[in-house]
Amino acid sequence: MHTVAVLALDGVVPFDLSTPLEVFGRARLADGTPAYRVLVCASTPEVTAGGLAIRVPCGLDGLHEADTIVVPGLADVSTPVPPLVLQRLREAAERGVRLASICAGAFTLAAAGVLDGLRATTHWLAAAELARRYPAVEVDPDVLYVDNGNVLTSAGAAAGLDLCLHMIRRDHGAAVAAHAARISVMPMERDGGQAQFIVHAPPSAQGCSLEPLLRWMSASVHEPLTLAAIAARANLSIRTLSRRFREQTGTTPQRWLHHARIHRAQYLLETTDYTLDRIARQAGFGSATTFRDRFKGTVGVSPQTYRRRFTVAETR
DNA sequence: CCTTCGTTCCGCCATG
DNA sequence: CACATGGCGGAACGAA
């Protein structure tokens, strides 16, 4: 079973700490068995967390058993991290253990050097400070989380939930993740369907939110949507639509739509035995060949490999 | 793998 | 003047 170790340092933010405990701890496979074993590890038997004192059962040795180490943020990002902890994180990275930070936890990962040369995110209030202290890290404050494969970072506290669900989806597929999301009363996909991108609220009365449009788009992925059609639906000119998209989602209409289509395809691959041809059509790809090509390009594996990876676990 | 052709994106700028 | 809009054109991209 996949073991998740959560690193509880002195001064940890209780919310950041409890998010992975709850989400991974409650995740269940299709047959009802726990999907993860969750450990809490600390370098001292007791840590303070907000106004709490928490007894931590497991020492740093627990990190040796981990397949994933989750690093929650510290309330004060200037708190020095014990050198031994940094050492253990570096060793874990070299072993290929997956490292994930929540909120200001990115500072801990950065201090260990495992973010060097990678894109990363953190709480938006702390993003500038992270970039200043660790110039080798490419800080992007405009996404909910960044997935570098074995090193993942997430933005403010609530984005830690998105990141945990994202990892569950990677490990066990969308169905298990959707169940975990339901347990947390958390929408699997944020309004509009693209979990990766923060939808910035419009500044005020100026302009209106794209969310209804995004919902419509994700419900219409099977249709060949052109920019002109989308703009018409929103009663905006093409030029203004493009601008709103960049402001509110950080991406372009076509890229956003592409991700929505990939998501739909992943869902169909996992939950049905439709042919690739049929899935390609229902997800809005012009042909099975372009579907295969684009799927591999974005997800990293072919549709067939993806399907096999997630249907074997759910034998019935 | 390459080529062809339509679409999309974005800086620029005139306009309201 | 500050600001938002939307059309234009070329470069980049994606479909087949």
Side-chain angles (χ1 to χ4, degrees), chain A residues 140-260:
Chain A
D140 183 352
D142 287 334
V143 292
L144 286 177
Y145 54 83
V146 176
D147 180 352
N148 289 298
N150 267 349
V151 181
L152 304 88
T153 51
S154 61
L161 245 169
D162 292 277
L163 178 60
C164 290
L165 292 171
H166 172 72
M167 287 191 277
I168 295 175
R169 180 167 45 208
R170 262 183 47 180
D171 297 338
H172 300 292
V176 173
H179 179 255
R182 249 192 319 278
I183 299 266
S184 311
V185 197
M186 163 83 188
M188 185 61 212
E189 296 179 347
R190 296 210 176 201
D191 275 340
Q194 261 316 291
Q196 279 249 37
F197 298 107
I198 294 174
V199 178
H200 291 287
S204 58
Q206 191 50 55
C208 61
S209 173
L210 285 182
E211 275 175 21
L213 180 71
L214 298 183
R215 247 190 299 278
W216 172 76
M217 282 172 68
S218 36
S220 314
V221 287
H222 58 283
E223 295 179 53
L225 294 180
T226 64
L227 245 194
I230 298 168
R233 168 88 193 188
N235 273 326
L236 296 169
S237 72
I238 290 177
R239 192 67 188 80
T240 303
L241 178 80
S242 303
R243 268 199 274 261
R244 291 276 181 280
F245 246 86
R246 188 144 293 286
E247 289 162 10
Q248 294 184 37
T249 70
T251 186
T252 69
Q254 193 238 67
R255 268 203 268 277
W256 192 95
L257 186 60
H258 174 65
H259 279 281

Side-chain angles (χ1 to χ4, degrees), chain A residues 16-17 19-20 70-73 100-106 153-157 159-161 163-164:
Chain A
D16 294 2
L17 177 64
T19 298
V70 180
V71 183
S101 71
I102 295 176
C103 199
T153 51
S154 61
L161 245 169
L163 178 60
C164 290

Side-chain angles (χ1 to χ4, degrees), chain A residues 68-71 89 92-93 97-101 109 114 150-153:
Chain A
T68 297
I69 298 176
V70 180
V71 183
L89 288 176
V97 173
R98 182 168 63 181
L99 301 177
S101 71
L109 291 185
V114 298
N150 267 349
V151 181
L152 304 88
T153 51

